[in-house]
Amino acid sequence: MMDLLGGERDGHGEAVRVGDRAVSREELFGRASGVAAEIRGAGVVAVHATAALETVTAVVGGLLAGVPVVPLPPDSGPAERDHSLRDSGAELVLAARGAYEAEGPPVVPVDELTGNGTQGTVPADATALILYTSGTTGAPKGVLVSRAAIAAGLDALAEAWAWTPEDVVVHGLPLFHVHGLVLGVLGALRVGSPLVHTGRPRAGAYAAARSRGGSLYFGVPTVWSRVCDDPASAEELRGARLLVSGSAPLPVPVFERLERLTGHRPVERYGMTETLITVSARADGDRRPGYVGTPLTGVETKLVAEGGAPGPADGETPGELYVRAPMVFSGYLDRPEATAEALGADGWFRTGDIATIGPDGWHRIVGRASTDLIKSGGYRIGAGEVENALLAHPAVREAAVVGTPHADLGEQVTAFVVADGVDGEQLAAFVAELLSVHKRPRTVHLVETLPRNAMGKVVKTRLRP
């Protein structure tokens, strides 16, 4: 396994562009080595993960220093941000000067540091990133992702997608989760392909990146839906090599429209924070609407029926999807019971997703084993986290949150609330102040009661406006 960041490569050409700013590989590693010198010896650092070159510099600096990095969503509310900082034990926050002003650990201005580009040896099993889950059933958990897991995941994708240094990666995704950061930044650095980050994932910006050689495009279903709504931009993407969709299921109508407008059948893939990407369609193979492909090299999957019996791979019978692979996480930070529940001693990880597997190995994701994970615009949003935020409002007595269909986002956050003297807009704004803005309810139904079973648990399938 070569070094996580790709070892020695030509360092003088443009390596990373974010918006209208660009750096060569040599410049990036020079700046990052200054960050590494500043933080080396720290236990954990956090990164204010805006869509900026400073974020890339900070994350690479953490990897050079061998210090675990916690990416902080820049739109995090105080409750969410403070939990991540406290739970991880982050000693420093890396950010551009003036970009981060919250109370907490000292801030290191990464844009003021320089170095000589040297890198020490870091063990492959060392934690590279601590990524926080969506908090589906309570407070978000820190997912420990090792350097070896990232390397294995990226190498498997490079093989499946025929990803080479000749590609130019294009995306405009946030730099604080697997899709935008691990695939979109670390993948480009490891493979040695230039990266063009468009700042935001706008259709016009994706199209304009073709002039810079854009060939391998990453997007969530909402991005591809918006590309389809802009036929001129979609036409520009005909010259790309591969369009990849992930982070949520790509609706079949969007798949079909994208094919008509761009000439590309998009590649879909499947993964989680805990597993990175484990299943995907291939560059040289079939791409089926509604399916996420076959296991990557080194990945094993199986279905488990209720009660623990093996599920048949007949393409029809659903079961809970289990995954065993070298890119699976090391465990949840300081949560041994949660780790043991999800990750068996034999290496099999319970995804919590319900899937079917065909005789030919093709996987289709049917839904969650629970109803509490909402996939909206490519984000995974935990219903429990939003419910807790709503319940923090003094006027709210009860709250239940579900995902409901949305033509653009796939799903939207919908809340059912028992409250007095407050309206839906006020409650949505209250949640947006505590959590990331994208987690706010887009629809709030004020109801007199919530449906419950004999044990007092809310029955979400019976929620009606």
Coordinates of all heavy atoms in Angstrom, one line a residue, residues 50 52 66 88 115 151 171 198 216 230 246 258 320 361 458:
T50 N -15.1 24.4 5.7 CA -15.8 25.2 4.7 C -15.3 24.7 3.3 O -14.3 24.0 3.2 CB -15.4 26.7 4.8 OG1 -14.0 26.8 4.8 CG2 -15.9 27.2 6.2
A52 N -13.2 25.5 1.0 CA -12.1 26.4 0.8 C -10.8 25.7 0.8 O -10.7 24.5 1.4 CB -12.1 27.5 1.9
G66 N -0.1 12.8 11.5 CA -0.6 11.6 12.1 C -1.6 11.9 13.2 O -1.7 11.2 14.2
S88 N -15.1 14.3 21.0 CA -13.8 13.9 20.4 C -12.6 14.3 21.2 O -11.5 13.8 21.0 CB -13.7 14.6 19.0 OG -13.6 16.0 19.1
G115 N 5.7 25.4 5.6 CA 6.7 24.4 6.1 C 7.5 23.9 4.9 O 7.5 24.5 3.8
A151 N -7.3 4.1 2.5 CA -6.5 3.7 1.3 C -7.2 2.5 0.6 O -7.3 2.5 -0.6 CB -5.1 3.3 1.8
H171 N -16.4 18.3 -8.4 CA -17.6 18.2 -7.5 C -17.7 19.5 -6.8 O -16.8 20.3 -6.7 CB -17.6 17.0 -6.6 CG -16.6 17.1 -5.5 ND1 -16.9 17.7 -4.3 CD2 -15.3 16.7 -5.3 CE1 -15.9 17.6 -3.4 NE2 -14.9 17.1 -4.0
T198 N -16.2 23.1 -7.2 CA -16.9 24.3 -7.7 C -17.4 25.2 -6.7 O -18.2 26.2 -7.0 CB -18.0 23.8 -8.6 OG1 -18.9 23.0 -7.8 CG2 -17.5 23.0 -9.8
L216 N -14.4 13.2 -14.3 CA -15.0 12.3 -13.3 C -15.8 13.2 -12.4 O -15.2 13.9 -11.6 CB -13.9 11.5 -12.6 CG -14.4 10.6 -11.5 CD1 -15.4 9.5 -12.0 CD2 -13.1 9.9 -10.9
D230 N -31.4 21.9 -16.2 CA -30.6 22.9 -17.0 C -30.0 22.2 -18.2 O -28.9 21.8 -18.2 CB -29.5 23.4 -16.1 CG -28.7 24.5 -16.7 OD1 -28.8 24.7 -17.9 OD2 -27.8 25.1 -16.0
G246 N -24.3 9.4 -5.5 CA -24.3 8.7 -4.2 C -24.8 9.5 -3.1 O -25.4 10.6 -3.3
L258 N -31.1 12.0 -17.0 CA -29.7 12.2 -17.1 C -29.1 11.5 -18.3 O -28.3 12.1 -19.0 CB -29.0 11.8 -15.8 CG -27.6 12.4 -15.5 CD1 -27.7 13.9 -15.4 CD2 -27.1 11.8 -14.2
E320 N -31.5 -7.6 6.1 CA -30.6 -6.6 6.5 C -29.2 -6.9 5.9 O -28.7 -8.0 5.9 CB -30.5 -6.5 8.0 CG -29.6 -5.4 8.5 CD -29.5 -5.2 10.0 OE1 -30.1 -6.0 10.7 OE2 -28.7 -4.3 10.4
G361 N -25.2 -10.9 -8.1 CA -24.5 -10.0 -7.2 C -24.9 -8.6 -7.2 O -24.4 -7.8 -6.4
V458 N -44.0 6.1 20.0 CA -44.7 6.7 18.9 C -44.6 5.8 17.7 O -43.6 5.2 17.3 CB -44.0 8.1 18.5 CG1 -44.6 8.6 17.2 CG2 -44.2 9.1 19.6

